[in-house]
């Protein structure tokens, strides 16, 4: 056993290691947090055309789009670019906050994921009631691309959803570049994370949550699935574990569309217009156009 493993046996050092592990996770957080989701920011989002509950879907885009942020994200920061991108293309767009922990503002997606899926259930019902649409499309980043599948499989969401589009979703959990394999060497750290940030613990590859989510197959009938991944993902690893298997599934690697795209986990869900173009294609496959490196200016 290495000396620093032995040192981790003391309560004080275990706390330090726990803090370090959480810090590493935070640095690799699946979303940008440049702007806090204050009421002012939320109002600004509405003024830019999303979360506008007076919006009615058009004949061209008959379903509202629900955006689901990633871990440490919120309903505004994660979508500062994608939401207006979709609004400008004629969609009614809505985003929610979920997975809040008591006393932790702005940084969400940290609560138990099954409870977060219940929040999504309520939010989708609210959006459908407001817009009058029979179904919604869901676009999610990281945990936000995976968590909705729990809603589809276990909370009766499938009849209400036409398509689930995941940007770097951790559909089968993540090893965080192998970091999670070190947890058994740090007594107490795994329990610390599970107790304090269950939404993180649920996303570890092989966790009870991931085991339940993937049992019986990746998908449910009647829903179209699209996974958009990047080979430079440093958070959901290995990146191929993001892919789904089943009917009505399309797995897309950004670098197959544009070899020059260097987006990693955060960028693919927050600023990458090549990924955004592919999201638009998945929302409206009948009007899809080729996604290439030039899509960045589209």
């Amino acid at each position: 056993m290495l000396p620093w493993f032995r040192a981790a046996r003391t309560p004080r050092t275990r706390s330090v290691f726990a803090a370090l592990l959480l810090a590493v996770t935070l640095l690799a957080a699946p979303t940008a947090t440049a702007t806090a989701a204050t009421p002012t920011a939320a109002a600004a989002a509405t003024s830019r055309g999303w979360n506008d509950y007076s919006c009615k879907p058009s004949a061209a885009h008959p379903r509202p789009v629900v955006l689901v942020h990633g871990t440490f994200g919120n309903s505004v920061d994660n979508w500062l670019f994608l939401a207006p991108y979709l609004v400008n293309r004629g969609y009614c767009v809505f985003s929610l906050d979920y997975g809040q922990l008591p006393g932790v503002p702005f940084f969400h997606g940290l609560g138990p994921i099954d409870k977060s899926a219940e929040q999504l259930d309520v939010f989708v019902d609210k959006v459908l009631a407001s817009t009058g649409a029979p179904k919604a499309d869901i676009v999610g980043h990281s945990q936000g691309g995976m968590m909705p599948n729990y809603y589809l499989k276990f909370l009766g969401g499938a009849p209400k959803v036409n398509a689930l589009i995941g940007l770097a979703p951790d559909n089968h959990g993540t090893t965080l570049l192998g970091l999670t394999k070190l947890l058994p060497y740090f007594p107490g750290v795994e329990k610390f994370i599970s107790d304090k940030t269950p939404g993180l613990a649920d996303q570890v590859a092989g966790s009870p949550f991931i085991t339940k989510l993937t049992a019986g197959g990746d998908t449910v009938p009647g829903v179209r699935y699209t996974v958009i991944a990047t080979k430079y993902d440093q958070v959901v690893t290995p990146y191929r574990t993001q892919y789904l298997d089943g009917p009505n599934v399309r797995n897309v690697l950004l670098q197959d569309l544009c070899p020059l795209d260097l987006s990693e986990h955060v960028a693919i869900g927050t600023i990458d217009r090549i990924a955004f173009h592919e999201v638009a294609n998945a929302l409206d496959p009948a009007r899809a156009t080729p996604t290439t490196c030039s899509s960045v200016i589209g």
Side-chain angles (χ1 to χ4, degrees):
M1 183 180 292
L2 296 175
W4 50 290
F5 284 175
R6 290 197 297 269
R9 289 177 173 174
T10 68
R12 178 181 176 82
T13 311
R14 283 202 298 269
S15 296
V16 172
F17 277 122
L20 284 173
L21 185 58
L22 288 175
V24 169
T25 306
L26 178 58
L27 288 174
T31 187
T33 54
T35 306
T38 61
T40 301
T46 303
S47 71
R48 296 178 69 180
W50 96 87
N51 281 342
D52 176 4
Y53 285 89
S54 68
C55 185
K56 299 300 180 184
S58 65
H61 302 302
R63 292 175 299 276
V65 178
V66 174
L67 302 178
V68 188
H69 65 73
T71 310
F72 293 108
N74 59 61
S75 61
V76 177
D77 292 351
N78 213 137
W79 308 119
L80 288 173
F81 296 97
L82 179 57
Y85 179 95
L86 295 176
V87 168
N88 291 339
R89 282 155 179 77
Y91 290 93
C92 292
V93 180
F94 302 86
S95 61
L96 78 157
D97 287 313
Y98 71 87
Q100 302 90 332
L101 292 180
V104 181
F106 313 138
F107 303 105
H108 304 319
L110 297 172
I113 298 181
D114 57 347
K115 300 302 181 184
S116 295
E118 293 176 6
Q119 292 178 274
L120 176 62
D121 185 9
V122 172
F123 188 78
V124 170
D125 284 349
K126 177 182 177 181
V127 168
L128 294 181
S130 170
T131 60
K135 291 188 177 185
D137 291 322
I138 296 177
V139 179
H141 179 208
S142 192
Q143 180 188 163
M146 171 270 287
M147 176 270 280
N149 211 17
Y150 188 95
Y151 161 61
L152 298 179
K153 293 183 76 172
F154 301 110
L155 300 180
K160 306 173 189 177
V161 176
N162 170 69
L164 172 58
I165 302 160
L167 292 156
D170 49 345
N171 286 315
H172 299 95
T174 178
T175 68
L176 272 177
L177 291 175
L179 184 63
T180 58
K181 295 180 180 178
L182 297 177
L183 288 175
Y185 295 103
F186 299 101
V189 171
E190 191 166 6
K191 185 176 187 301
F192 179 90
I193 295 173
S194 181
D195 290 346
K196 301 299 183 182
T197 55
L200 294 180
D202 283 347
Q203 294 178 75
V204 173
S207 71
F209 175 84
I210 292 296
T211 299
K212 178 180 179 179
L213 179 66
T214 56
D218 289 343
T219 64
V220 295
V223 178
R224 290 190 296 105
Y225 295 82
T226 302
V227 173
I228 305 172
T230 171
K231 69 180 181 181
Y232 300 115
D233 199 311
Q234 80 285 23
V235 175
V236 180
T237 57
Y239 76 84
R240 289 184 179 85
T241 61
Q242 299 173 26
Y243 294 158
L244 294 171
D245 183 32
N248 295 322
V249 170
R250 182 167 183 257
N251 295 310
V252 181
L253 184 66
L254 272 185
Q255 287 72 34
D256 287 342
L257 306 175
C258 174
L260 301 178
D261 194 322
L262 300 179
S263 288
E264 36 61 65
H265 187 80
V266 173
I268 189 177
T270 57
I271 62 172
D272 190 328
R273 290 178 67 90
I274 296 172
F276 293 177
H277 187 271
E278 198 59 20
V279 168
N281 281 346
L283 289 172
D284 191 0
R287 297 180 178 87
T289 58
T291 302
T292 66
C293 293
S294 64
S295 298
V296 71
I297 59 175

